[in-house]
Amino acid sequence: MIIRYMLIVKASKYTEAGVRYSQEDQEAKTVYKRNLVKANVLLTTESLQPSATGMKVLYSSHRDEPKVQVGPFSLDDTAWMTEYILIDVETEEEALKWALQMPVPKNRGKFEIELQRLEENLDVLEGTREHPMEHDLKDLLSMLKITGGADKYESRNNSVYRSNRTRMAKRNL
Amino acid sequence: MSFSDAHRTIDAIWRIESPKLIAGLTKMIRDVGLAEDLAQDALVIALERWPETGIPENPGAWLMTTAKRRAIDLIRRSKIRDQKYVEIAHSMDLYTKPDIDNSAEIGDDLLRLIFMTCHPVLSQEARVALTLRLLCGLTTDEIARSFLVAESTIAQRIVRAKKTLRAKQIPFELPTEEELKDRLSTVLEVIYLMFNEGYSATFGENWVRPLLCQEALRLGRILAEIASSEAEVHGLVALMEIQSSRLRTRVNSQGEPVLLMDQNRSKWDQLLIRRGLAALERSKHLGKTMGPYSLQAAISACHTIAPTPMETDWVKIAALYEALSRATPSSIVELNRAVAIAMAFGPEYGLQIVEELYKEPALQNYYLLPSVRGDLLMKLERYEEACVELERAASMTENERERIHLQNRINECKEKT
């Protein structure tokens, strides 16, 4: 079983202020990502800009007009992210292992990674029969529709029904 | 030949030839990943040259010769001192002859390849992805689109699957007799999936996809030869043969689907029907209760042997659906059974089954449920209720064609009320 996790690196007051990683931290991050590639785990990774260039669209309920807000947002009430890494692993433990290996940038206070698992819709084999059977169903329904009006068929159909019921009744005896 | 015509032709050739190419190359260099790269290289060269020079008389042999040359180049360039590769390079027969004479050998290679791509060390998803890629010649983009996932995910899984095969040193061989049964069921699933990929694409723009049906059928037939004591192999082959016999009549000249009721039965392919019925007989003669593939084939056979739709043996079909429902319980089988029962015993009996299904929480958003119920209610001339159901179904489906179909039914219904 292969599962996908998104490792979400949360924004901090440093990332919000655009304070870049030190060269050393930057290199450590590159090494880490290279390892992800080598292990065939990395699907994609992107860095995100601070909330100052972001926006929010808010509906208090589906009946309301949308409220559009522009950044920057306070990190207290908005869970902003600064980077995400999408990985493909076999177990939850493996995902956590990779999260724990992520190098922590120095002297930048709190560092937080969230692991969120993605919905998988690759269970194709489970549905192997589903799709063709839907085709079959449409074929059957086509018979239902068109034969419905034909009196001749209707009577024949009833006779099949009767004869079968008779057969069943006989068997029950 | 225009540039795009040439590319379309090459695309079609690629779909037919690439599995054989990859199988043949894997046999030589014992690495399926490398074999695929070499086959791709040959394709790139063909794409460059063929629009100018025209398609060679035997494109498969041309591709194989080109790929082998690339293999030799690669071995020399990378200065692999491994004796094995040097031997391969020397013993390689550079010019591949047309494959008329050695088709049995090619069949065997393809089979080895499918047992490799369906190997138990791989996850189910990986098996399907790898088989579609290597045996059906689908691009990662096409695979991703058919499963609604990101292309990067599919690409990643294919890369990983190939690495796993390499790391675990999975041999390019047919399974032993003891292994055969287990290994076979995964292979059957994948072949069936391949077949359906082609069968359901009949309506799409891609005119090449039906070739997948042929490829699946061919693999199935070969499999039936070597695993002749396995009832379900014959069942699957029977199912595919019978379904294929209707392939030509499933779509009209405008490219729209033609349902079973309206198909011109005289145009069904009699040879495929005979082969299908024979395979079904073989499956039954093995003296085991029928498995899902055999049951589906038997249902399909009932339609096939009815000279007109009016003469369909619905009682038998209903019984076969009942057996299928016990073998592989699922809501879609139940819905089919409901319609078969409606045809055999009357719509009110079918309706009963559909109404049972309404109790399943998992099916609350399944548009086929109200759709079938609507049709059954229409048959019972309860038009107002039918209308409500069909409208519900129409609001639940995202498929445009389906919605138009349902809208037509709703209009029919409104005329009657």
Side-chain angles (χ1 to χ4, degrees), chain A residues 106-122:
Chain A
K106 292 178 192 70
N107 306 319
R108 292 168 67 101
K110 187 169 104 173
F111 187 71
E112 189 180 346
I113 308 161
E114 273 174 7
L115 285 82
Q116 213 166 335
R117 189 167 157 183
L118 274 74
E119 285 283 6
E120 298 295 341
N121 48 1
L122 256 182

Side-chain angles (χ1 to χ4, degrees), chain B residues 263-281:
Chain B
Q263 288 174 14
N264 182 348
R265 294 184 176 219
S266 65
K267 284 193 178 159
W268 286 352
D269 189 320
Q270 291 302 318
L271 176 66
L272 289 172
I273 289 176
R274 276 199 301 278
R275 295 185 73 132
L277 295 177
L280 186 58
E281 275 311 304

Side-chain angles (χ1 to χ4, degrees), chain A residues 2 40 43 88 121-122 124 129 132-134 137 139 142 145-146 148 153 156-157 160-161 164-165, chain B residues 147 149 156-157 160 163 192 196 260-261 292 296 310 314-315 336 343 345 349 366 379 405 409:
Chain A
I2 294 179
N40 257 318
L43 283 173
D88 206 14
N121 48 1
L122 256 182
V124 282
R129 200 156 271 117
M133 295 289 290
E134 285 186 4
L137 181 65
D139 278 339
S142 74
K145 275 175 272 180
I146 303 170
Y153 174 65
R156 197 196 115 80
N157 198 14
V160 168
Y161 171 40
N164 187 65
R165 288 300 292 249
Chain B
F147 298 137
V149 294
Q156 169 81 358
R157 282 173 189 185
R160 207 215 294 257
K163 284 203 174 171
Y192 186 45
N196 287 316
L260 192 58
M261 176 71 202
Q296 278 180 270
M310 320 294 165
W314 290 108
V315 174
N336 276 281
M343 293 303 286
F345 309 121
Y349 291 89
Y366 194 39
K379 177 113 176 160
H405 167 77
R409 297 287 290 156

